[in-house]
Amino acid sequence: TMTASSPVMLKTQELCQTLLEQPNMQSIRQRIDAFMADAQARAQYDSLVNKGQALHQKQQAAQPLSQEEINDFEQHRESLLKNPTARNFLDAQEELHEVQHSVHHYVTRALELGRVPTEEELTQNCHSHGEGGCGCGH
């Protein structure tokens, strides 16, 4: 069990601090905060998520989706994407996901290889590793 003062946890805290100090991370945080402060954008987003979940559940139950339901979802989606605060939030979420994926992929490859991976090992097609893959999520 790792304690808060173990070398791994101390380096993890250092990595987290370094990530948070990056200019792009500050921009991401600002866009997320702006979205959280905008009740209308949040309501639009929540409505779209709820509509998407309802359609997904209907599909999982092998029920056909009507064209009206699909059109309604698409209209709400387009409306959300036209809202600059919501669009910035969605972009920020994607950027944050990319950072998380990159860090996860790097650490996973290091643990698999038993050493720090080379740039080539990080960029090679991870799907060639057979069953279980490289943990990249693809």
Side-chain angles (χ1 to χ4, degrees):
T1 308
M2 287 189 244
T3 64
S5 61
S6 73
V8 171
M9 292 309 294
L10 292 173
K11 287 295 185 180
T12 302
Q13 290 170 359
E14 185 180 325
L15 171 62
C16 291
Q17 187 61 43
T18 301
L19 287 170
L20 293 172
E21 291 171 355
Q22 298 303 301
N24 66 322
M25 293 303 290
Q26 293 170 12
S27 170
I28 289 169
R29 185 80 250 156
Q30 289 169 347
R31 289 178 280 160
I32 291 171
D33 290 345
F35 173 79
M36 296 307 288
D38 187 331
Q40 180 187 357
R42 285 193 340 264
Q44 272 186 297
Y45 178 82
D46 290 343
S47 175
L48 183 67
V49 167
N50 290 337
K51 287 179 184 297
Q53 288 174 342
L55 292 178
H56 181 72
Q57 288 173 354
K58 197 171 178 181
Q59 283 181 315
Q60 292 299 312
Q63 297 175 344
L65 302 180
S66 72
Q67 192 59 47
E68 183 180 312
E69 291 172 312
I70 294 168
N71 290 344
D72 181 56
F73 177 81
E74 286 300 321
Q75 287 174 350
H76 278 83
R77 182 179 170 278
E78 287 176 29
S79 177
L80 179 73
L81 294 176
K82 288 179 184 175
N83 180 324
T85 303
R87 179 76 241 172
N88 287 338
F89 169 73
L90 294 171
D91 291 343
Q93 275 191 317
E94 181 61 29
E95 291 170 39
L96 189 57
H97 174 76
E98 288 173 15
V99 171
Q100 291 170 329
H101 174 77
S102 295
V103 170
H104 180 262
H105 180 63
Y106 199 100
V107 171
T108 299
R109 291 296 287 145
L111 294 173
E112 288 173 350
L113 296 169
R115 59 178 168 70
V116 175
T118 65
E119 186 68 30
E120 182 179 302
E121 290 168 328
L122 288 172
T123 58
Q124 71 186 16
N125 182 355
C126 66
H127 306 112
S128 64
H129 294 289
E131 194 66 34
C134 66
C136 74
H138 292 115

